[in-house]
Each structure stands twice: as C-alpha cells, then as structure tokens.
C-alpha cells in the first residue's frame, strides 16, 4: 500500500534554470552572505600589503600625479577652464569605479568555481557584493575628490555650478555602476566558457579608457573624430559628472538618453543571460 506524503519544503533546488532568476525576496534572505563577501573581498585585496587600505587613496593619488605630469605638462592636453588636478581626479575616480567593478564581476566564475560547485546560493549575490564593495572604494575616493575641491574653493576661488546641478552627480555614479555591472555579468559568462577572453579583457579595458574622456575633455577632440568618442556610452556620464560637480562638460540631452537606454538595455539582457546560464556553467568551470 502506498502512502502519499504532502511534505512542504522551505527550499527546493532543481536543475531547472530560469531567465528571470531568483526573486528579490530570496536575494534579500542572503544579504548577510553578501556582506560577508564584501568583507572577504576587501580583506583579500589588501592582505599582506604594508599600507593596507591606504592603497584605496594612494592609487588615485599616484595616478593623478602621473596624469598631471605626462598629459598635463609633457603632452600639454588642455583641461579647459578647470585646474588639471581637479579635472584628472574627477575622471580617475569615476573610471576606477567602472574599471574595478567590471573586471571584478567579469571574473566571478573563475575566482569562485570551488565555492559554486559545493554550496548553493543565488549566484547573483557575488556580483552584487562586488559592486557594493567597489562602491565603498568609490565613496572613499570621492571623499578625497571633495577635499581637493574644497581646497580649490578656499584657496583658488574657483566658481562652482549651481547647487541644483549636484543632484546629477549620483545619477552619473548609479548609471556608471549599473553599466559596469551589466557588462561584468555578460563577460563573467563569456570568460567562464572561453578562458582566453579573460586575458584579452584587461588589455582591451586599458585601450577603452582612451575612448573615454578621462584624460581629455570631449571639446578637445577634433570634430572629425568626436563621433567615435561619443559612441562610447560612458562619454556622456563622464562629461555630465564634471559638469554637475565642477561646472564644465559637453553633453546634450540626446547623448544622456542614449547612454541611459544603452546602460539599462545591457543590464537587462545581461541579467537574463546570467540567470539562464549561471547554473549550467558549474559543469564546465
């Protein structure tokens, strides 16, 4: 005689994958794990270093010194009406957010293969934790930028944009973070399947920086080649970031809409692909 049991499970893990992935409720239940990953990644980056977390500030300072010397003094690239230190530091801080987040998320499967193959949890927790960690780095470096800006306000009497423009600064930060998250998710799948791509990414991202107005304003680029720079969805965000914070930047509403739509489209498509493919990758990584 067979008996029918109606056992109700709190969790049921199956081999099925979905385009839509985990619900927000399930992701929220793993928030403490995400905090643990943020702490782990922070410690791993600075362990066995003499200066430890001070590198969060030293890295942009040393980069700033190099840019001012090479691109400002030797090459002589104009920064418009902005002091070179402020111009380059604003670009460096925002670029670090994009670069570090993208590269960190793109290596999600390669660096967590052992963990993924042994323990179940929503895979999206790791990319979200990395984005949170690098936003923490960004907030520290952004604080440095504000201190330098305060120095120029007091001792150099520079003119700032209207206070109302400052609301656009977090918009630029959020869109830059979302674009790096979207691209990172997409390339985490690609590099898990094709390891060769991971060696190419770091080189391509360095070249990509030269198509982004980090070391030059868009107004410095000749009309003949400006379209190439403006195709880059990061270009309007960098120009708007400087315009809202420092008062100088070249951007139109059309360019901002293009960048916003591009970012949201990449994020949406990448989330779908990540949700569908992430569980299947466990067998090949």
């Amino acid at each position: 005689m067979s008996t029918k049991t109606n056992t109700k499970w709190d969790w049921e893990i199956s081999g099925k994958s979905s385009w839509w992935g985990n619900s927000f409720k399930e992701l929220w239940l793993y928030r403490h794990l995400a905090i643990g990953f943020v702490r782990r990644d922070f410690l791993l980056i600075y362990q066995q270093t003499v200066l430890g977390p001070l590198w969060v500030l030293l890295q942009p300072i040393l980069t700033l010194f190099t840019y001012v010397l090479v691109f400002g003094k030797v090459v002589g690239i104009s920064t418009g009406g902005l002091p070179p230190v402020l111009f380059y530091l604003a670009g460096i801080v925002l670029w670090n957010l994009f670069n570090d987040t993208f590269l960190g998320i793109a290596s999600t499967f390669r660096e967590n293969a052992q963990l993924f193959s042994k323990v179940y949890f929503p895979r999206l927790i790791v990319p979200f934790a990395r984005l949170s960690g690098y936003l923490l780095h960004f907030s520290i470096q952004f604080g440095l930028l504000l201190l330098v800006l305060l120095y120029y306000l007091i001792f150099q009497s520079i003119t700032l944009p209207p206070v109302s423009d400052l609301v656009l600064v977090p918009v630029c930060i959020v869109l830059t973070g979302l674009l790096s998250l979207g691209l990172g998710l997409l390339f985490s799948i690609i590099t898990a399947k094709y390891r060769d791509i991971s060696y190419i990414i770091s080189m391509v991202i360095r070249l990509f920086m030269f198509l982004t107005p980090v070391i030059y304003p868009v107004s410095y680029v000749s009309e003949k080649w400006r379209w190439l720079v403006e195709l880059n969805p990061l270009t309007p965000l960098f120009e708007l970031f400087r315009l809202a914070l420092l008062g100088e930047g070249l951007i139109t509403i059309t360019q901002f809409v293009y960048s916003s739509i591009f970012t949201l489209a990449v994020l949406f498509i990448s989330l779908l692909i990540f949700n569908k493919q992430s569980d299947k990758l466990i067998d090949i990584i």
Side-chain angles (χ1 to χ4, degrees):
M1 184 177 72
S2 64
T3 59
K4 183 178 181 181
T5 59
N6 294 317
T7 305
K8 184 177 180 181
W9 301 96
D10 292 330
W11 298 99
E12 182 176 351
I13 302 172
S14 69
K16 297 179 180 178
S17 60
S18 165
W19 291 101
W20 305 109
N22 309 97
S23 65
F24 176 79
K25 180 183 177 182
E26 186 177 0
L27 292 174
W28 178 251
L29 290 175
Y30 285 89
R31 63 189 182 281
H32 299 295
L33 180 63
I35 295 172
F37 280 139
V38 172
R39 184 174 180 275
R40 180 201 66 173
D41 291 340
F42 190 85
L43 293 175
L44 281 177
I45 291 174
Y46 300 110
Q47 70 176 357
Q48 297 183 340
T49 59
V50 176
L51 299 178
L54 280 178
W55 281 110
V56 178
L57 293 175
L58 287 177
Q59 188 270 341
I61 291 173
L62 293 174
T63 307
L64 173 65
F65 177 78
T66 305
Y67 283 5
V68 170
L69 179 64
V70 175
F71 299 113
K73 301 296 183 182
V74 178
V75 182
I77 294 177
S78 171
T79 57
L82 293 175
V85 170
L86 274 178
F87 179 89
Y88 289 125
L89 187 56
I92 290 168
V93 167
L94 196 59
W95 174 257
N96 283 349
L97 173 63
F98 173 80
N99 178 71
D100 295 345
T101 305
F102 168 69
L103 291 177
I105 294 177
S107 61
T108 294
F109 287 98
R110 286 184 289 113
E111 295 182 359
N112 295 278
Q114 294 293 326
L115 184 62
F116 285 164
S117 62
K118 294 177 180 175
V119 184
Y120 169 77
F121 58 88
R123 306 308 184 211
L124 272 176
I125 289 293
V126 174
F128 285 164
R130 293 206 159 169
L131 174 61
S132 303
Y134 286 117
L135 281 173
L136 176 63
H137 284 209
F138 171 82
S139 63
I140 297 171
Q141 295 179 356
F142 187 69
L144 172 66
L145 173 60
L146 293 181
L147 285 178
V148 175
L149 180 58
L150 183 62
Y151 167 83
Y152 275 91
L153 272 176
I154 296 175
F155 298 103
Q156 302 292 328
S157 301
I158 64 169
T159 304
L160 285 183
V163 177
S164 58
D165 288 1
L166 291 177
V167 298
L168 296 172
V169 172
V171 174
C172 300
I173 297 169
V174 169
L175 286 175
T176 303
L178 291 180
L179 182 59
S180 60
L181 173 65
L183 291 173
L185 289 174
L186 183 62
F187 276 90
S188 70
I189 299 294
I190 296 174
T191 56
K193 289 186 176 181
Y194 310 102
R195 296 296 178 95
D196 291 352
I197 302 296
S198 61
Y199 297 103
I200 299 174
I201 282 181
S202 58
M203 180 182 67
V204 171
I205 200 71
R206 289 193 200 102
L207 297 176
F208 186 59
M209 191 194 77
F210 293 102
L211 280 178
T212 307
V214 177
I215 57 175
Y216 57 83
V218 170
S219 57
Y220 185 79
V221 182
S222 67
E223 294 282 351
K224 181 181 179 182
W225 297 107
R226 190 173 296 176
W227 65 271
L228 186 61
V229 177
E230 290 177 343
L231 273 179
N232 179 356
L234 281 176
T235 296
L237 301 181
F238 275 69
E239 288 294 304
L240 183 60
F241 184 69
R242 288 197 181 101
L243 179 65
L245 190 63
L246 306 177
E248 280 201 20
L250 187 62
I251 180 175
T252 64
I253 294 178
T254 305
Q255 292 169 344
F256 177 72
V257 171
Y258 158 72
S259 178
S260 302
I261 293 175
F262 185 94
T263 298
L264 296 177
V266 166
L267 180 61
F268 180 71
I269 294 170
S270 298
L271 277 171
L272 293 180
I273 296 174
F274 187 91
N275 290 331
K276 189 64 177 176
Q277 298 292 327
S278 59
D279 289 332
K280 297 178 180 176
L281 289 175
I282 302 302
D283 296 329
I284 61 174
I285 58 177

